[in-house]
Every structure is written in C-alpha cells, then in structure tokens.
Amino acid sequence: MNSKLTDEQQTAICSQLGNVKLNLLYKASIHGFTGEAFHKHCDKKSPTVSVGYNKSGRVFGGYTSQPFSQFGGFVKDDEAFVFSFSGERLNKYSVNNSSYAVRMTKNSGPNFGDTLILVHKDEQKVYSNQSSFTGYLYTKYYTFTAEKMHGNDLDLTDCEVYQVEECLQFENPWRTVTWTSEEKEKLMERIKSYKPSISSVSEARVLLVGQVGAGKSSFFNSFKSIFKGRVSGQAINGTCSTSVTSQFRTFIVKPEHEEKPLPLILCDIMGLEAKEGEGFHVDDITNIVSGHTPDTYQFSPSGPLHSEAQGFCKNPELKDKIHCVTYVVDASTISIMPQNMEDKLKAIRKKVNLHRIPQLVLLTKIDEACPLVKKDVTNVYKSKYIKKLVRIV
C-alpha cells in the first residue's frame, strides 16, 4: 500500500510525537469504507494516526495513544489531538476534555470525541459535530472550525490509519563529538583564547535572534553558568507568550577565577512574534547589526530606532557592530511555526545578508523534540529525527 501523505506531511506529524515513523495499517480505498474493515486492521494497535482526504484536496485527522476497539464508550487520552494541513503546514488542535478524547464505535472508523469521525456509519463520509451558533465544532472535546479542518467538504476520497512506531537510532553518530570532561575543557579553552583577526576589535559580538520562547536568554544563562562553574542567571528568561526581553542587551562573561572576560559578547533582543505589530520590529535589525543601537535600548513594536533618537550611535566603529548572527530555533515547534514567523525570519536574514557577516542556527529544546535525546543528551547525533530537523531548518 502506498501512503497518500507527502514526506513533508509525515515529518510534520512525527515532529509532534518524537523519534518515530508511520506504518500504514488501513487504507479505506483498498480495505473498504466500513467500520468492520477499519476495526479488522486497526483494533488493539496503538498509538495511531488517522488521516482523512476529501474531494477538495484537504488532509486532516487525529492522533490517539489508545488502542481502538468496538465497546462503544469514550476513552480517556491526555495525548490525543486532531489536526489539519494548510499545504505542508500542520494545524494542531489539542483535546479539551481528555476523558472524551476518543470514542470506540463499531460501525464507524476513527472517532475523535464524536467531534470528528472518519468513515461515519459505514459511509464514505466524514462527520463533524457542528454548532449552528458559533461556527465552531463542539467545544467540549475539541475546538476548531469546519472550514479550517476540511473546508466543509464531507465526502472522503480515502482514509488511512497508521501505527506510530519508534525509529531505530543510527548505529554510528552523524556528527562526531567526544563527550568527556577533557574535551569540554578543550572547547572552553578554545573560546577563552579566541582572538579576532583585526586588532581594533577585542571581542566578537554575537547577536541572538529568535521567536518568543525559543530560549535565547536561557542559552546565554547556560553559557555563562558553564564558565562560572555555577548556575548563573544574568539574562531574564521565562515562558510567557510575549517576550520577556524588552531591551537590547549586551552581555559579557568573566570566567571564574580569571581577570579577563571572554572575547565574546552575546547580544540579546526582544523575541519575535508572529502577529504583525507585536514583538521585535524587523527593521530594527539593520540598526543593531550596523552598531547604531545602544545597550539597554527599549524596543518598540510600532517602529524601529530613528537616527535622531537619544542614544543613537551615528558613527559606530567596527567593534560596535555585530560580527555574527545566530538564529535560535525551538526544535520542538518547527513543524507548527506560523507562516508569519517564517516570513519574519526570512526578512531578517535578507537584511543580514547585505552585511556579509556569518550566520548560524542554534536548535534548542532538542530533548523535548526527541525522546531518545531526552533519555540521554549524548544521543543527539544518533537521532534520525534530530538530523531530519536540522535539514528542515
């Protein structure tokens, strides 16, 4: 049997589940659009991803960690969610009441809380419990609009159910790292002894750019803690939906028991937000990279720093400019990154390209993205899923 999901769609689904792959169990166009055929191939199998395809070309479905059966009642599942695709982009809708996440119905296919049912009552149909008052589907169990889920097209062309299987790790790591304290000391010494090639610049200034919650400030605090030899929290960090950082800040790190600071200055900015008019203003990036923005400058989402503003550095020297831009990306949310956020990152990169300076990508929260890495961080370069994420980013 051939899967109708594209590689990109499979990757987007798997990104929500960890280091896994999808194994096709049931395909209605081959096995039949009946509850009997569905249960024959899918009962007692878990976890599963169910996918519906309609005549309008929409792709949608749901995930449950619970095995299917025919007993007729609801099953609790804290991990269940339903989803739809906009192109290759996954829209995820988590369960509101986990006690009613999945219902085991005999004469239908996958049933997500009586809110979304594929192969409904042995017909080539999808069923949605539509509220005539709000336009939203029954909000007790899942909340989404019929238009976003399946475009109000209830005629199925196919239905597929996949078993979610854990991927085997690579036998050999795809990047070689020696995970020893001696190697760590060597890496730290390389940073301490680094010298820019131009004598007028004593420290390289590295700018951290990323979405709200990606972990820019947390990364700096971790970096500083390593050289301090103890937990240190100079940069403000948190898990708010809006940026915790509101100013342009430059941070130096002075290693424990040493007089000189590191030859690196890490620069932090306000986090990017998908919504227009909120978060870091993209046009501020030129002023920062060019060295016009003073330390502690208070960002304004409404507009960038003007040349006549107080503190604007009109004649910056090379040492005041940014020498490297690092994009900090949350590995656990790559597949559901809003299009507006992707557009903002591309706009920033386009502006940075004009300055001809190095650009790097830092993937954070890799333990949340991959269970293999969560178990042991030294598995990061053995993880097939992390390697795939790196390629996507």
Side-chain angles (χ1 to χ4, degrees):
M1 295 186 294
N2 295 322
S3 168
K4 292 191 71 171
L5 287 173
T6 65
D7 290 343
E8 290 77 12
Q9 289 169 338
Q10 289 201 40
T11 298
I13 293 171
C14 290
S15 71
Q16 302 300 310
L17 307 174
N19 187 38
V20 299
K21 62 181 179 180
L22 301 181
N23 179 35
L24 186 57
L25 299 174
Y26 163 75
K27 190 176 182 70
S29 59
I30 293 176
H31 298 123
F33 287 88
T34 65
E36 181 182 5
F38 158 69
H39 286 291
K40 178 181 178 181
H41 291 88
C42 303
D43 278 4
K44 299 181 181 180
K45 304 287 180 64
S46 65
T48 55
V49 171
S50 303
V51 186
Y53 308 85
N54 65 17
K55 292 183 178 180
S56 299
R58 297 296 187 95
V59 181
F60 50 91
Y63 165 82
T64 177
S65 63
Q66 299 299 316
F68 289 113
S69 67
Q70 303 178 50
F71 86 94
F74 287 96
V75 175
K76 182 177 181 179
D77 188 356
D78 295 327
E79 301 174 26
F81 62 86
V82 295
F83 61 86
S84 63
F85 278 98
S86 301
E88 305 299 341
R89 187 174 301 278
L90 182 139
N91 306 306
K92 178 182 176 182
Y93 310 95
S94 299
V95 62
N96 295 329
N97 188 333
S98 62
S99 295
Y100 300 89
V102 184
R103 190 170 188 180
M104 304 304 173
T105 46
K106 184 176 182 179
N107 64 342
S108 294
N111 181 334
F112 294 90
D114 276 353
T115 306
L116 181 69
I117 308 174
L118 305 177
V119 189
H120 179 54
K121 292 185 177 180
D122 294 332
E123 293 184 358
Q124 198 168 331
K125 296 281 186 180
V126 56
Y127 172 81
S128 293
N129 194 339
Q130 179 76 45
S131 166
S132 59
F133 297 103
T134 64
Y136 278 80
L137 295 181
Y138 193 52
T139 58
K140 189 174 182 181
Y141 308 143
Y142 298 91
T143 304
F144 53 86
T145 64
E147 174 59 37
K148 286 189 176 181
M149 180 59 68
H150 46 60
N152 288 305
D153 181 355
L154 305 180
D155 294 321
L156 290 175
T157 58
D158 213 340
C159 173
E160 296 176 333
V161 178
Y162 300 81
Q163 184 163 19
V164 179
E165 299 177 350
E166 188 171 357
C167 282
L168 296 175
Q169 64 189 58
F170 287 111
E171 184 176 348
N172 298 311
W174 46 273
R175 185 178 291 172
T176 303
V177 172
T178 305
W179 299 91
T180 63
S181 57
E182 292 79 12
E183 185 65 21
K184 174 187 168 186
E185 292 299 325
K186 288 180 182 179
L187 291 171
M188 292 172 68
E189 190 56 42
R190 283 181 62 187
I191 294 174
K192 291 177 186 178
S193 60
Y194 167 74
K195 289 184 179 180
S197 58
I198 299 176
S199 59
S200 62
V201 179
S202 56
E203 303 100 1
R205 292 164 66 93
V206 179
L207 177 65
L208 304 178
V209 177
Q211 185 176 358
V212 169
K216 296 185 288 84
S217 300
S218 296
F219 169 73
F220 168 74
N221 288 335
S222 296
F223 180 81
K224 182 177 180 180
S225 296
I226 291 168
F227 283 92
K228 284 290 186 183
R230 64 179 189 275
V231 175
S232 177
Q234 183 176 356
I236 300 174
N237 63 327
T239 55
C240 299
S241 58
T242 56
S243 181
V244 175
T245 305
S246 61
Q247 296 178 321
F248 174 66
R249 294 305 316 272
T250 57
F251 297 111
I252 63 171
V253 175
K254 190 176 179 182
E256 189 78 349
H257 307 305
E258 296 192 24
E259 295 183 2
K260 289 185 177 182
L262 295 178
L264 289 176
I265 296 178
L266 296 183
C267 304
D268 196 11
I269 63 172
M270 191 177 191
L272 299 175
E273 297 187 36
K275 193 173 181 180
E276 289 299 324
E278 295 185 7
F280 178 78
H281 197 288
V282 171
D283 289 340
D284 262 322
I285 197 69
T286 299
N287 286 328
I288 294 172
V289 172
S290 300
H292 297 304
T293 305
D295 190 25
T296 71
Y297 164 68
Q298 185 73 37
F299 290 108
S300 172
S302 60
L305 175 68
H306 294 290
S307 59
E308 301 304 319
Q310 185 176 0
F312 184 89
C313 182
K314 294 188 176 181
N315 299 300
E317 299 180 33
L318 182 59
K319 66 180 180 64
D320 302 314
K321 299 181 179 182
I322 295 297
H323 309 120
C324 173
V325 173
T326 298
Y327 301 96
V328 183
V329 180
D330 181 348
S332 67
T333 62
I334 289 169
S335 67
I336 56 174
M337 180 184 289
Q339 185 61 49
N340 285 353
M341 179 58 60
E342 190 173 323
D343 293 341
K344 282 190 176 183
L345 285 169
K346 287 179 179 178
I348 289 173
R349 189 178 182 212
K350 187 175 182 180
K351 292 177 182 294
V352 174
N353 284 343
L354 297 175
H355 295 267
R356 301 175 66 83
I357 58 176
Q359 298 171 70
L360 305 174
V361 176
L362 170 66
L363 275 182
T364 60
K365 306 184 184 181
I366 53 174
D367 56 327
E368 294 181 23
C370 177
L372 183 69
V373 179
K374 188 173 185 178
K375 183 179 179 181
D376 183 352
V377 74
T378 63
N379 286 329
V380 58
Y381 298 121
K382 294 181 180 178
S383 168
K384 292 183 178 181
Y385 181 64
I386 294 297
K387 183 178 183 181
K388 185 182 290 186
L389 284 185
V390 168
R391 186 174 68 248
I392 291 172
V393 171

